[in-house]
Amino acid sequence: MGETSLFRRVLFTFHMPIFFLLCGLALVTHKGKGQNGWCDFLRRMALSFIFPYFLWSLIYSNFSYRNLIWLLYGSYEALIRAGTLPILWFFPCMFVARIILEGVLSLASSFDSLKRFALPLLAVFLFLAGILLPKLGNLSYPWCINIAFTAAGFMLLGYSMKPLIEKVGKNPVCTVLIFVLSVTVFIAGSVLRAESLEMVLLRSGDYGDIVWFFVNSLSGCLLVLSISSLISRNWKKHGPVINEQNEEGINRVTMGILVIHMPLLQQVVLPLLGFIPFSIPKMLIFLVGMVLTKFISGYLIKVIARYVPQLFGIFPGRQMEMINSEEI
């Protein structure tokens, strides 16, 4: 396989797990206590993920009742049949994953004294549930339920790692050691395996070799976190390493990458760069395209977040308060 193909396979070993893990690190929205706790939480999650899911799905597809049925099914394969942006599978998956995660956290709160050990164990059970669910025909599971268990596992792992990350992030020696260890394991498990490296397609529940999937995804996540800590030099900061008010920002950036950055890169920028009249290595074209797209999509994301934040599931200020105060 070619250089670009290897790059893509290496990237796909961890690019979705790191999204889910970061969402777990920035988790601040939880169900409230009382009779309406779950109803209010479900409404918030629906506004954050399902509302923008249908908006973007309709933007990228021609409306018909047949397509609407596929959109309601919500799997990657169904979205292809609806003629919309297939990567929108992330939205219903995140909705289901957040519900699963909140249920697990509610369960863990009942034995608070063992919570430190219970959370990683519960994450293992979530991984097992996502992996062991049998294949379901050509359409996979509705709303990516099988993938949602795996996603919730990575989110729970991120959530349970927060205290450890706070400690390690303040210690430059530990940060460097984790960087060296993670980059060594990741390169050994992905780049050096070359032709043996399977293509991981989390959107369809295809993990390749399960053991290598977890080795590469976890080492890749640690590599990204350690690089971020080294660049930020967290040990010189007095505040916390993780900003717990970032969940809304994580959702906005993630959605922006999925619905604007990637389509713009794949359908506009890269095809236009292909018209360059002289020969350029494909990897260089891809990197140039990534940089150009980042500036363009970054500006578009800021404009949309400012004037139509609802497209990213954000209902600011009074609008959210009004929605929360409505009768269920």
Side-chain angles (χ1 to χ4, degrees):
M1 293 187 180
E3 184 183 14
T4 303
S5 179
L6 176 61
F7 172 78
R8 189 165 182 260
R9 283 180 289 144
V10 170
L11 180 64
F12 273 52
T13 60
F14 73 95
H15 81 302
M16 290 310 299
I18 189 64
F19 273 140
F20 295 130
L21 189 133
L22 288 175
C23 289
L25 286 174
L27 207 63
V28 294
T29 304
H30 299 285
K31 77 175 186 68
K33 296 180 180 180
Q35 186 177 2
N36 293 330
W38 269 109
C39 291
D40 182 65
F41 177 77
L42 291 174
R43 183 173 52 193
R44 284 173 176 265
M45 292 301 101
L47 290 171
S48 295
F49 298 109
I50 301 305
F51 184 78
Y53 165 70
F54 280 107
L55 285 180
W56 286 110
S57 296
L58 294 172
I59 287 172
Y60 278 105
S61 70
N62 295 321
F63 177 80
S64 71
Y65 290 109
R66 180 185 178 87
N67 287 342
L68 184 59
I69 293 173
W70 293 126
L71 296 181
L72 289 170
Y73 195 88
S75 70
Y76 175 81
E77 292 80 5
L79 293 176
I80 292 177
R81 300 191 184 195
T84 190
L85 197 63
I87 204 167
L88 292 173
W89 67 267
F90 177 84
F91 288 69
C93 179
M94 274 295 293
F95 175 73
V96 177
R98 284 294 278 112
I99 294 172
I100 294 172
L101 179 62
E102 196 62 26
V104 170
L105 291 176
S106 298
L107 176 65
S109 64
S110 60
F111 39 91
D112 194 59
S113 59
L114 300 174
K115 190 175 181 180
R116 179 181 176 184
F117 305 99
L119 292 181
L121 183 61
L122 290 170
V124 172
F125 282 115
L126 290 175
F127 287 137
L128 289 175
I131 292 169
L132 296 179
L133 278 175
K135 294 286 185 180
L136 189 65
N138 296 324
L139 285 177
S140 189
Y141 286 82
W143 285 31
C144 306
I145 294 173
N146 56 330
I147 311 167
F149 278 101
T150 304
F154 280 108
M155 292 166 70
L156 183 58
L157 198 61
Y159 181 81
S160 62
M161 286 171 57
K162 280 199 291 187
L164 181 61
I165 290 176
E166 290 290 344
K167 291 182 180 180
V168 172
K170 295 296 184 180
N171 189 321
V173 176
C174 288
T175 303
V176 171
L177 288 175
I178 290 177
F179 168 76
V180 173
L181 178 62
S182 60
V183 74
T184 302
V185 173
F186 183 72
I187 290 175
S190 58
V191 178
L192 295 183
R193 291 180 63 217
E195 299 298 327
S196 301
L197 181 63
E198 303 90 349
M199 184 67 177
V200 175
L201 295 173
L202 206 58
R203 65 197 184 195
S204 305
D206 296 327
Y207 300 94
D209 185 289
I210 295 296
V211 174
W212 281 117
F213 166 72
F214 281 106
V215 169
N216 292 331
S217 60
L218 294 176
S219 61
C221 289
L222 288 176
L223 177 59
V224 171
L225 291 174
S226 60
I227 291 174
S228 174
S229 183
L230 289 171
I231 292 174
S232 302
R233 292 192 282 187
N234 291 315
W235 54 88
K236 292 188 175 182
K237 298 179 180 179
H238 298 290
V241 173
I242 301 168
N243 183 352
E244 294 189 343
Q245 302 303 317
N246 269 345
E247 183 176 12
E248 189 178 83
I250 288 285
N251 291 341
R252 185 190 71 189
V253 173
T254 302
M255 290 181 188
I257 291 173
L258 295 178
V259 301
I260 296 176
H261 180 91
M262 294 184 70
L264 187 64
L265 174 66
Q266 295 171 355
Q267 300 175 22
V268 179
V269 176
L270 289 181
L272 287 176
L273 290 176
F275 287 108
I276 295 176
F278 47 88
S279 178
I280 299 178
K282 291 183 178 180
M283 180 61 73
L284 181 58
I285 291 178
F286 180 79
L287 292 175
V288 171
M290 284 282 291
V291 173
L292 290 175
T293 309
K294 181 182 182 302
F295 285 107
I296 300 171
S297 63
Y299 177 76
L300 292 175
I301 291 170
K302 288 180 180 179
V303 171
I304 293 174
R306 179 173 181 178
Y307 294 105
V308 198
Q310 294 80 8
L311 283 173
F312 292 138
I314 301 171
F315 293 80
R318 294 180 180 178
Q319 191 170 358
M320 180 60 87
E321 293 174 5
M322 290 172 62
I323 291 171
N324 290 337
S325 65
E326 289 176 358
E327 292 296 327
I328 298 174

